[in-house]
Amino acid sequence: MPVHYEDADSPVFTFGDTLINLLKATEAAELIEPEPVAPPNAGSRFQLAILSEPGVVPVGPTNRQQEFVVRIYLAGPVFTTPEREWNVGLAARLRAGGHEVFVPQDHPEAERTGRAIFRKDLEGLDWADTVVAIMDGADPDSGTCWECGYAYAQGKTVVLFRSDIRGSGDERDIPYNAMLIGAADAHIELELATLDEAAAAILTTLAGR
């Protein structure tokens, strides 16, 4: 079967329209809480997840409410220490909100070439169902803009976030590039937002999709 995604804890295989995730039992608790993981002597152990709408996958009830996991590709500049620290902090908060997050800087290629970096990041984009893109900067990062365009063309959810106090809009009614805003399912502008404020706004937006 073709591999859809793979990390240290699980390979995910494509079987027709079904994804089969062979997850380590030690990593399963957060998916089925408050129920316990069955012990090894319980026989076959599996969990079913049904795709309810594009980009949102229900993974089991918690406190009688349906919980959703979004596979997020966190797009944004990665070229300075503050940028990379922001990405790490935001990813941690989105994971704490129950989502899976691919951060390009956490998946460096052994071969540091443009082509190798492109291939690795494209794998992350193809794995994700949602792109959360950081739009900070006098003009948003060119690589991030490409990733938003690719996600839009693939029918993935695109959420833009900007904390920059500067405006660079094509028109008076938009804070930055019209093509980016037009391709986004949601865009959030919070001037000088903290990491906690940014994460809260993004999580709220994802919950409402």
Side-chain angles (χ1 to χ4, degrees):
M1 290 185 290
V3 176
H4 178 74
Y5 172 75
E6 185 174 11
D7 62 20
D9 297 318
S10 69
V12 180
F13 300 97
T14 302
F15 184 70
D17 294 330
T18 302
L19 296 180
I20 300 174
N21 183 358
L22 303 182
L23 182 67
K24 286 183 179 178
T26 55
E27 303 300 316
E30 63 180 321
L31 295 181
I32 65 171
E33 290 175 346
E35 299 300 323
V37 176
N41 62 5
S44 298
R45 296 174 292 174
F46 65 91
Q47 178 183 7
L48 299 178
I50 301 172
L51 185 65
S52 62
E53 59 179 283
V56 182
V57 181
V59 296
T62 299
N63 297 327
R64 297 187 179 182
Q65 294 182 347
Q66 193 67 43
E67 185 176 298
F68 296 96
V69 170
V70 177
R71 296 192 302 272
I72 299 170
Y73 181 99
L74 182 56
V78 296
F79 308 107
T80 69
T81 298
E83 289 168 348
R84 295 173 77 89
E85 290 179 347
W86 173 274
N87 295 339
V88 169
L90 182 57
R93 287 161 174 79
L94 295 178
R95 291 186 183 112
H99 303 303
E100 300 176 35
V101 186
F102 180 98
V103 186
Q105 70 195 50
D106 292 342
H107 301 270
E109 278 286 0
E111 180 187 7
R112 295 293 295 175
T113 66
R115 186 64 184 172
I117 293 170
F118 172 80
R119 286 196 303 264
K120 176 60 70 174
D121 290 354
L122 192 61
E123 289 177 6
L125 282 167
D126 287 338
W127 163 82
D129 48 53
T130 299
V131 168
V132 172
I134 306 304
M135 295 284 103
D136 286 339
D139 198 40
D141 172 67
S142 58
T144 302
C145 295
W146 186 93
E147 290 162 340
C148 290
Y150 180 83
Y152 174 80
Q154 296 295 312
K156 299 175 185 290
T157 300
V158 177
V159 176
L160 310 180
F161 178 84
R162 183 176 173 89
S163 65
D164 206 313
I165 62 175
R166 295 168 291 186
S168 59
D170 294 332
E171 300 294 342
R172 294 178 183 176
D173 62 332
I174 57 175
Y176 42 94
N177 190 282
M179 299 301 289
L180 288 165
I181 291 179
D185 296 276
H187 58 95
I188 305 164
E189 289 78 44
L190 290 176
E191 291 187 1
L192 303 180
T194 65
L195 272 169
D196 287 338
E197 291 168 341
I202 293 167
L203 289 170
T204 298
T205 298
L206 293 175
R209 296 303 308 163

